[in-house]
């Protein structure tokens, strides 16, 4: 192990922890010889412990699950250009809330509002901490103490902690469920409208789908009803894509612009799902509504940070050239990657690990399916290519654990007796590290 420079306090703690573990082992009656306590055997243990203490807790991992928008693995990796903006703004002063034209106090929201409006055709926009905050803020502003009509089939739970009925309760709005779980008709909404009604809400059923005898009211009809009865219509788009991804084999989903053109008054969506940017909640829609939301004091508690704004602005700018966005925004690049390119990457990985595994693990390229993830486009499986590992000297579960706990953690997925490493979500410049992580477990060096 090379020389490590570390604060004395960290070194002391590392030494103490190793010695405490030895002491415990002795007290527990485990066989510890005097030789085990010498300088030679202890020094590497100290160094190992110290290295673990110095390693950041938030670390990069290799996502070989094939789930593109993976909520547990940080959702969307940011494009490099977004990171440059972040570095500049993060390490210096900025005009975050200062209008350089007038020299007066400015608004952090005005910085990306124009970009969002140009890209989607919205009249006005506001950005908050995440989409959950966006939904809460819109409901609190438009419907506190009043009623919001939602289809029973759209009362979703996302990732365990975000549930439409609960967010609704926190906002102070009263939920009025209409229709049946599988079918809701326009007349169900219409019959539920009272003087207390403040809003008609449509929620993207992001992470599940009801199949069979079903029907949902199309957004256009809901918009028509809203207009007829003088009620605003909101859509929680969840993922909210700015580009039509159906040409890459994904199911057709209305883009943010299409939802707005259909006449919806306000939409919300996440910054770090299909948009491929930093965590944020985007609220777009009619000026009168957005202005009302901007004045809500709750806004202050949910506001976004300058680093997020810098990242978001850089990502949004990429969308002015759609092909550029598809190439440079990692989430979009992974979703639109052609199968032959992924297969080539799988074969490259196989070549890199092939020899060192000799006999101790079988490795082959195998067809598989990736998932969009992030509660976006449920059931949307994209044909992909994986390297399948079948260990001979340990169980597949053990291999999965060891790869996950390594210095460069690798997260794959077990299918039967195999560990699959889906190459759709692995970048080309990660192949070397991935190969080394695998071969290190089988005593090889990797190439
Ligand atoms: C993901 C999602 C949310 C929550 O968004 P966050 O950005 O994770 O807060 C809300 N509504 C829908 C429909 C979603 O898919």
């Amino acid at each position: 192990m090379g020389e490590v420079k570390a604060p004395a306090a960290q070194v002391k703690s590392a030494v103490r922890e190793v010695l405490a573990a030895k002491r415990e082992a002795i007290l527990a009656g485990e066989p510890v010889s005097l030789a085990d306590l010498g300088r030679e055997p202890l020094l590497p243990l100290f160094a190992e412990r110290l290295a673990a203490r110095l390693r950041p807790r938030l670390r990069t991992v290799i996502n070989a699950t094939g789930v593109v928008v993976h909520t547990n693995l940080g959702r969307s990796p940011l494009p490099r250009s977004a990171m440059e903006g972040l570095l500049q703004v993060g390490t210096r002063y900025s005009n975050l809330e200062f209008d350089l034209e007038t020299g007066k106090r400015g608004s952090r929201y005005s910085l990306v509002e124009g970009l969002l409006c140009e890209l989607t055709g919205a009249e006005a926009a506001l950005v908050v901490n995440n989409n959950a905050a966006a939904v809460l803020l819109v409901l609190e502003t438009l419907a506190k103490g009043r009623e919001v009509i939602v289809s029973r089939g759209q009362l979703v739970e996302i990732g365990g902690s975000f549930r439409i009925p609960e967010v609704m309760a926190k906002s102070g709005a009263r939920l009025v469920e209409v229709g049946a779980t599988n079918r809701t008709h326009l007349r169900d909404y219409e019959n539920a409208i009272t003087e207390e009604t403040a809003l008609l809400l449509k929620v993207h059923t992001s992470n599940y789908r009801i199949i069979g005898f079903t029907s949902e009211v199309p957004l256009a009809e809901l918009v028509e009803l809203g207009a007829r009865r003088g009620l605003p219509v909101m859509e929680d788009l969840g993922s909210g894509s700015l580009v039509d991804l159906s040409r890459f084999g994904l199911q057709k989903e209305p883009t943010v612009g299409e939802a707005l053109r259909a006449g919806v008054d306000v939409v919300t969506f996440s910054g770090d799902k299909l948009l491929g940017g930093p965590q944020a909640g985007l609220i777009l829609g009619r000026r009168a509504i957005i202005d009302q939301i901007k004045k809500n004091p709750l806004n202050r508690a949910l506001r976004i940070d300058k680093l997020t704004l810098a990242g978001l602005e850089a990502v949004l700018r990429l969308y002015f050239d759609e092909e550029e966005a598809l190439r440079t925004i990692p989430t979009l690049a992974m979703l639109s990657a052609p199968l032959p390119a992924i297969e080539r990457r799988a074969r490259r990985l196989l070549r890199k690990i092939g020899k060192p595994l000799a006999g101790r693990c079988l490795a082959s390229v195998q067809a598989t399916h990736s998932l969009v993830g992030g509660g976006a486009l449920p059931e949307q499986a994209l044909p992909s290519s994986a390297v399948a590992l079948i260990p001979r000297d340990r169980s597949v579960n053990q291999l999965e654990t060891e790869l996950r706990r390594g210095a460069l953690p690798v997260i794959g997925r077990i299918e039967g007796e195999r560990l699959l490493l889906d190459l759709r979500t692995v970048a080309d410049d990660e192949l070397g590290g991935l190969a080394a992580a695998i071969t290190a477990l089988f005593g090889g060096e990797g190439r």
Side-chain angles (χ1 to χ4, degrees):
M1 190 163 286
E3 195 151 312
V4 189
K5 212 166 148 56
Q10 291 274 27
V11 179
K12 264 192 234 163
S13 297
V15 169
R16 280 209 189 101
E17 281 168 15
V18 170
L19 296 181
K22 287 285 176 206
R23 221 170 269 129
E24 252 173 56
I26 294 167
L27 287 174
E30 284 171 34
V32 176
S33 75
L34 215 56
D36 291 338
L37 301 174
R39 195 186 155 83
E40 288 296 305
L42 280 179
L43 271 180
L45 297 183
F46 293 155
E48 213 172 279
R49 191 66 225 132
L50 181 61
R53 288 188 69 93
L54 295 179
R55 220 167 20 223
R57 295 293 189 270
L58 183 60
R59 287 194 281 158
T60 59
V61 304
I62 291 190
N63 174 11
T65 63
V67 179
V68 178
V69 182
H70 198 307
T71 293
N72 300 144
L73 302 182
R75 281 198 185 159
S76 284
L78 292 174
R80 296 222 164 246
S81 63
M83 294 312 293
E84 279 155 23
L86 233 140
L87 189 67
Q88 284 297 320
V89 166
T91 53
R92 295 176 193 282
Y93 291 109
S94 64
N95 62 335
L96 181 66
E97 291 192 344
F98 185 69
D99 187 329
L100 294 173
E101 286 300 315
T102 62
K104 300 214 170 75
R105 190 178 200 283
S107 152
R108 66 179 66 208
Y109 305 110
S110 60
L111 297 168
V112 288
E113 183 172 16
L115 291 176
L116 281 167
C117 293
E118 273 184 65
L119 289 168
T120 63
E123 286 178 13
L126 177 68
V127 185
V128 291
N129 181 59
N130 58 8
N131 189 31
V135 173
L136 176 71
L137 183 61
V138 177
L139 292 175
E140 217 266 354
T141 309
L142 299 182
K144 187 177 183 179
R146 299 179 64 205
E147 292 176 354
V148 178
I149 304 178
V150 192
S151 160
R152 276 212 172 80
Q154 296 172 1
L155 298 176
V156 299
E157 169 178 310
I158 287 126
S161 53
F162 177 91
R163 285 173 156 178
I164 287 292
E166 287 167 17
V167 174
M168 186 86 72
K170 285 284 175 209
S171 77
R174 288 196 302 280
L175 172 66
V176 177
E177 304 172 29
V178 295
T181 304
N182 57 331
R183 285 170 76 86
T184 304
H185 308 284
L186 190 65
R187 61 171 185 275
D188 295 324
Y189 288 91
E190 183 136 34
N191 293 339
I193 295 175
T194 68
E195 280 114 75
E196 288 297 295
T197 308
L199 184 70
L200 306 178
L201 172 63
K202 183 176 167 78
V203 182
H204 193 291
T205 53
S206 299
N207 51 3
Y208 78 106
R209 164 150 314 156
I210 301 174
I211 53 170
F213 185 55
T214 66
S215 84
E216 226 185 42
V217 175
L219 184 63
E221 286 182 30
L222 214 53
V223 164
E224 189 276 327
L225 175 63
R228 192 147 43 82
R229 304 294 295 266
L231 292 169
V233 177
M234 163 181 177
E235 181 167 23
D236 172 12
L237 283 169
S239 282
S241 181
L242 295 190
V243 298
D244 184 353
L245 293 167
S246 60
R247 69 171 149 128
F248 303 109
L250 290 165
Q251 178 198 310
K252 171 69 190 150
E253 285 280 332
T255 63
V256 175
E258 283 165 350
L260 289 165
R261 279 194 290 287
V264 68
D265 297 281
V266 56
V267 297
T268 68
F269 58 99
S270 296
D272 55 353
K273 289 184 180 170
L274 291 182
L275 190 74
Q279 177 190 305
L282 291 84
I283 309 173
L284 277 64
R286 297 208 191 285
R287 177 165 308 284
I289 288 180
I290 302 293
D291 282 348
Q292 223 179 316
I293 297 170
K294 282 180 181 167
K295 290 194 202 107
N296 188 333
L298 190 56
N299 197 353
R300 177 67 163 78
L302 307 175
R303 76 182 187 184
I304 55 165
D305 168 58
K306 62 184 173 189
L307 296 181
T308 307
L309 257 177
L312 184 63
E313 175 173 0
V315 170
L316 289 175
R317 285 189 183 283
L318 295 171
Y319 276 96
F320 282 99
D321 179 345
E322 192 170 307
E323 295 310 312
E324 173 84 355
L326 289 166
R327 209 170 35 246
T328 54
I329 299 174
T331 298
L332 295 183
M334 287 187 268
L335 286 173
S336 62
L339 182 59
I342 305 172
E343 286 168 341
R344 261 198 310 280
R345 208 178 287 152
R347 286 195 299 272
R348 269 182 67 199
L349 177 62
L350 192 64
R351 276 199 302 279
K352 282 176 188 285
I353 60 173
K355 275 226 186 69
L357 300 191
R360 302 183 63 189
C361 181
L362 296 179
S364 59
V365 170
Q366 171 186 320
T368 186
H369 281 95
S370 311
L371 292 173
V372 178
L377 302 160
E379 294 172 43
Q380 279 286 287
L382 293 162
S384 187
S385 183
V387 165
L389 300 177
I390 308 177
R392 284 292 157 96
D393 58 352
R394 68 199 90 185
S395 72
V396 70
N397 286 306
Q398 199 180 343
L399 176 61
E400 186 274 336
T401 305
E402 288 173 25
L403 274 175
R404 174 162 41 79
R405 292 187 182 163
L408 174 60
V410 175
I411 322 294
R413 108 179 160 255
I414 294 175
E415 245 179 56
E417 290 308 299
R418 304 156 174 248
L419 182 68
L420 293 190
L421 304 172
D422 187 329
L423 276 298
R424 180 183 292 276
T425 46
V426 178
D428 281 328
D429 64 4
E430 289 176 326
L431 284 181
L434 174 54
I438 296 166
T439 52
L441 295 182
F442 295 98
E445 290 294 302
R447 277 185 291 150

